[in-house]
Amino acid sequence: MAVSSLKLTVEEKKYWKFCMLNIRVVPDALRMYFDGLIPPTGLATTINQNSTTIVNLVNRRVINSAQLDTLQRIPGTIWPPRCPTVASGPNASSSSDFDVTLMVCLLRNVPLPGIYQPASGWDNLPIPSDTSPGAHLSRIAITFCNGGHCPNAIMEILHCDLDGSQNGVIISCLMTEIEAVKRDLILVEVDLQRTELQLENVQSDFHFYKDGHLPKNIS
């Protein structure tokens, strides 16, 4: 394999950025936004006030058992009798244990100021000009549902966060991750060059001996 094949195309570089954004940046940015709207000190109260809604989401399998377990282990929460009990241990949980899909689900379904369903609906990619919090939540949800299949329009949110307050932090973190990837690629290229050189030496020795140059004791 030629070393040049390791050079990333523009699309591949965007995909690397997309992956780093999803894995390392989006969860923290979303959690900061979540905690800003539902402070950790009032999380149990908010859950108790919306427990019926949450139970309905559980029954519709929008919230899975692992996510319900996390919610039930939040100190101070009170659950209606018809809610399944899945708490698996005594360890208390908090919003720091929420995954992206659970945070998006709660932000969508718990009445909160400033969050409204975008004109395109929760489950459709909003138009690029829609920069409302609800639109960004839809983009995040669609991105995670698609996994590695990234619609081109989603790439446009690489420079955005939910309310624009963390742009500098996001870009800084993202560039740090990209530089780390570049360094790893350089190391891979060096190792590949060394391996190719060793392979060439082995092939040269093979052809040399194949042409009848074996030592007498070996032949």
Side-chain angles (χ1 to χ4, degrees), residues 18-88:
F18 169 74
C19 290
M20 290 301 101
L21 181 74
N22 261 347
I23 297 171
R24 301 297 297 275
V25 179
V26 166
D28 289 342
L30 181 60
R31 187 166 287 106
M32 291 174 63
Y33 183 74
F34 183 93
D35 289 344
L37 289 176
I38 309 176
T41 54
L43 180 58
T45 299
T46 300
I47 290 175
N48 291 340
Q49 292 172 343
N50 297 275
S51 60
T52 300
T53 297
I54 294 174
V55 170
N56 289 335
L57 293 170
V58 171
N59 292 335
R60 290 163 46 199
R61 298 185 179 181
V62 177
I63 292 178
N64 61 39
S65 58
Q67 293 168 332
L68 178 59
D69 170 63
T70 301
L71 291 171
Q72 290 184 341
R73 287 188 289 108
I74 294 173
T77 56
I78 302 173
W79 299 92
R82 63 190 184 93
C83 179
T85 301
V86 296
S88 59

Side-chain angles (χ1 to χ4, degrees), residues 1 3-21 148 150 152 155 158 174 177-178 181-182 185 189:
M1 180 174 62
V3 175
S4 60
S5 65
L6 285 177
K7 292 182 179 179
L8 299 179
T9 65
V10 173
E11 290 76 15
E12 288 170 334
K13 289 178 180 178
K14 285 186 177 182
Y15 184 73
W16 271 108
K17 292 179 182 179
F18 169 74
C19 290
M20 290 301 101
L21 181 74
C150 175
N152 291 333
M155 297 308 303
L158 283 173
L174 187 56
E177 298 297 337
I178 295 302
V181 170
K182 288 180 180 178
L185 285 176
E189 289 188 358

Side-chain angles (χ1 to χ4, degrees), residues 21-186:
L21 181 74
N22 261 347
I23 297 171
R24 301 297 297 275
V25 179
V26 166
D28 289 342
L30 181 60
R31 187 166 287 106
M32 291 174 63
Y33 183 74
F34 183 93
D35 289 344
L37 289 176
I38 309 176
T41 54
L43 180 58
T45 299
T46 300
I47 290 175
N48 291 340
Q49 292 172 343
N50 297 275
S51 60
T52 300
T53 297
I54 294 174
V55 170
N56 289 335
L57 293 170
V58 171
N59 292 335
R60 290 163 46 199
R61 298 185 179 181
V62 177
I63 292 178
N64 61 39
S65 58
Q67 293 168 332
L68 178 59
D69 170 63
T70 301
L71 291 171
Q72 290 184 341
R73 287 188 289 108
I74 294 173
T77 56
I78 302 173
W79 299 92
R82 63 190 184 93
C83 179
T85 301
V86 296
S88 59
N91 296 331
S93 62
S94 66
S95 60
S96 63
D97 300 301
F98 291 2
D99 59 24
V100 168
T101 56
L102 179 56
M103 287 188 285
V104 170
C105 178
L106 293 176
L107 291 173
R108 282 182 175 184
N109 292 280
V110 172
L112 294 168
I115 297 183
Y116 306 99
Q117 178 174 282
S120 56
W122 285 122
D123 300 320
N124 299 304
L125 194 63
I127 59 175
S129 60
D130 189 348
T131 58
S132 64
H136 285 316
L137 288 175
S138 289
R139 292 187 181 99
I140 291 173
I142 291 171
T143 298
F144 274 78
C145 287
N146 279 287
H149 304 286
C150 175
N152 291 333
I154 293 180
M155 297 308 303
E156 298 303 320
I157 69 168
L158 283 173
H159 63 286
C160 299
D161 64 304
L162 286 170
D163 59 4
S165 63
Q166 300 298 320
N167 282 350
V169 175
I170 289 177
I171 294 300
S172 176
C173 293
L174 187 56
M175 293 309 299
T176 299
E177 298 297 337
I178 295 302
E179 290 303 317
V181 170
K182 288 180 180 178
R183 290 194 295 271
D184 290 342
L185 285 176
I186 291 174

